[in-house]
Amino acid sequence: MITVIGSLNMDLVISTNHFPTQGQTVLGEFFETIPGGKGANQAVAAARLGAPTAMIGCVGNDSFGTTLYSNLENENVDVKGIATSKKATGIANILLYEKDNRIIVVPGANYDVDEALIDQQWSVISQSKLVVLQLEIPVPTVDYILMKCKESGVPVLLNPAPAKYFDVKWLKDVTYLTPNENECEEIFGKLFTEVVKDYPNKVIVTLGGNGAYFYDGEQPVHVKGYSAKVIDTTGAGDTFNGALSYAICEGYKLQEAVQFANSAASISVEKFGAQGGMPSNTEVMARLGQLKNN
Ligand code: RIB
């Protein structure tokens, strides 16, 4: 079982061809309300590939919360670890402009993912093949999870987004860290090609369409990306993380797992919405066989 402990957000997506300057009003192209949140997205990505997946998180007692809960249930994610809080369900305001996105998250109920909830769900967490974390829940809770997982020998993949909340002391406690290029620079203050050398087979840097990069202990490994017809990049990183988690749990070697995750991420950008383009196992395999080889 993969256990994802993280955020569930309702994504409020605006697509625009005109990016407003301060004080300016412009007309957008369309608006949609769709399920998101880095935690929920990563859980859906893993579950669609066939991984038994559980989600631990928190939603508000409101219509967004009900929708997010049912969405995960419909995606075959175990939702027994999703609590309801008095705060409003988390939202993400997503501005799509020139095929890229700018996101503002208001965490709401996600900030009620606390130590008590982790204790309550510990029997599930402690039996997981892999625990998957991001940083849209409170930092002290991440601290607590890492401490408990380390004590019990449960492997953890941490996707350090948003990177602002990453604490370098966690490096020794995580099994895998998956920043993108910008997050890597924000965390370590140096070029990703240098960073990976210090953390062989642990820090895997995602490079968007260019694939991903890590160091295998002897040499740098650049696992190239797949070309894609980009519609919406929202959730591509989450697809990568969900797929990487799936492949690691299936016993793939790291390089093959990263290649699998690159293939999944390249498919995900070809449809609208964070979860809209997340592929099935068959789709990932087809692209792995078909396209640009590494
Ligand atoms: O990674 C994309 C996600 O970031 C969105 O779904 C949004 O909810 C934010 O958490």
Side-chain angles (χ1 to χ4, degrees), residues 155-211:
V156 177
L157 181 151
L158 173 57
N159 174 223
K164 180 178 179 221
Y165 301 102
F166 184 77
D167 189 331
V168 284
K169 77 172 186 217
W170 294 336
L171 270 162
K172 62 180 186 338
D173 301 332
V174 299
T175 320
Y176 304 101
L177 187 79
T178 57
N180 65 26
E181 207 174 331
N182 296 333
E183 289 156 356
C184 189
E185 209 180 316
E186 189 176 339
I187 290 169
F188 296 97
K190 55 183 182 180
L191 267 182
F192 71 89
T193 46
E194 292 305 311
V195 173
V196 293
K197 287 185 195 154
D198 295 334
Y199 305 98
N201 298 312
K202 176 183 275 209
V203 174
I204 300 145
V205 182
T206 57
L207 306 171
N210 288 327

Side-chain angles (χ1 to χ4, degrees), residues 58-90:
C58 204
V59 292
N61 186 14
D62 48 33
S63 64
F64 283 170
T66 310
T67 307
L68 296 181
Y69 188 93
S70 332
N71 175 62
L72 284 185
E73 248 185 338
N74 294 337
E75 294 284 353
N76 294 318
V77 174
D78 183 335
V79 291
K80 290 194 281 295
I82 300 180
T84 307
S85 103
K86 288 193 179 126
K87 293 187 187 141
T89 297

Side-chain angles (χ1 to χ4, degrees), residues 7-11 34-39 41-42 91-94 101 103 105 136 159 233-238 274-275:
S7 59
L8 298 97
N9 296 329
M10 187 56 90
D11 288 353
I34 46 170
K38 293 187 197 303
N41 293 344
Q42 294 178 20
I91 64 102
N93 197 319
I94 302 184
N101 58 59
I103 305 181
V105 171
E136 290 184 334
N159 174 223
T233 58
T234 314
D238 298 328
Q275 297 172 15

Side-chain angles (χ1 to χ4, degrees), residues 245-261:
S245 302
Y246 163 84
I248 287 168
C249 290
E250 285 293 296
Y252 285 43
K253 294 209 174 80
L254 189 56
Q255 183 166 348
E256 289 159 5
V258 171
Q259 191 172 19
F260 182 91

